[in-house]
Structure formats: C-alpha cells, structure tokens
Amino acid sequence: MATTIKAGDKLCVVTRRDLVPGYQGVQSQHAAVQFVFDHPTIAAEWHKNSDFMAWLSVADEIELMRLLVAAKDQGIKATAWREPDVGGAITAIALEPGPKTVALTEGLPLALKGVKQ
C-alpha cells in the first residue's frame, strides 16, 4: 500500500462546545483512542508519518452529528464516541488525516478557544 499520510497531516478530533472544558478534553481523548482501534492501519500510518493532531469544536451534538454524516458521505473514515454517562450521546468524533478532512473542517474553531483560564 502506498503511503498517503504525509508529515503534517492531522488526525482531527472534534468536540462539543456545550460541554464543560474538562469534559471536552476527556471525551476527545476517548474519540481519538477509539479511532486507533477502529482504524489501526490508518492510525499506524498517521503515527509513523505525521503524528500531528487538530482539536476543534462545534456548538452541540446536532452539529457534531451533521459533521459525522458529512464525513461519511465524503468517504472520510470517522469514529464517534458515545458517552454512556450521558445516555450514549455523541460527545466527540475523530476524523482521518487528509485533504478531505481539512476541507470539511475548515473554519471550525479550535477547541476551548475563548475559554478563560
């Protein structure tokens, strides 16, 4: 298989801004780890060739679900994390590295942008 993931390609994790900051972080970690299990070949190639990540956010679960559907419609490998502690709601997703993901997530704000410390 030819290498398709190159240096600088980012595994993209997207969470919900309607969650408290600490929960956004933990839920995003769940999504990223689950992506590695769901897509081990992509994850290994990403880890070997790039190992860059982007952490972005959308407003709420509805926007996250829309993004997930759009990713799947475009053939982007994605993993949704459903948190049992909140009724199985989708709290974060991870999207495979590549130009399609960059185009899909262009304009999304960084996670925790504007959160006061």
Side-chain angles (χ1 to χ4, degrees):
M1 175 171 115
T3 300
T4 57
I5 298 174
K6 62 187 182 318
D9 285 347
K10 297 176 180 104
L11 177 68
C12 185
V13 180
V14 185
T15 191
R16 299 169 28 191
R17 288 190 298 277
D18 64 338
L19 301 174
V20 297
Y23 211 58
Q24 288 180 48
V26 170
Q27 298 306 298
S28 296
Q29 291 175 57
H30 277 302
V33 169
Q34 189 62 52
F35 183 91
V36 170
F37 284 103
D38 290 350
H39 308 283
T41 302
I42 294 169
E45 184 179 351
W46 162 76
H47 182 67
K48 178 183 176 189
N49 297 330
S50 174
D51 214 23
F52 282 65
M53 295 182 81
W55 190 27
L56 307 173
S57 66
V58 294
D60 53 29
E61 186 181 20
I62 291 170
E63 290 301 315
L64 200 55
M65 289 169 34
R66 285 183 181 142
L67 185 63
L68 181 61
V69 168
K72 290 187 176 187
D73 286 349
Q74 293 180 35
I76 298 169
K77 300 283 190 284
T79 292
W81 178 255
R82 292 183 175 273
E83 176 53 56
D85 293 343
V86 291
I90 298 175
T91 54
I93 64 173
L95 305 168
E96 74 174 303
K100 287 183 183 179
T101 296
V102 171
L104 180 65
T105 59
E106 189 174 49
L108 292 181
L110 293 172
L112 303 182
K113 184 174 183 178
V115 172
K116 303 282 187 217
Q117 300 248 348

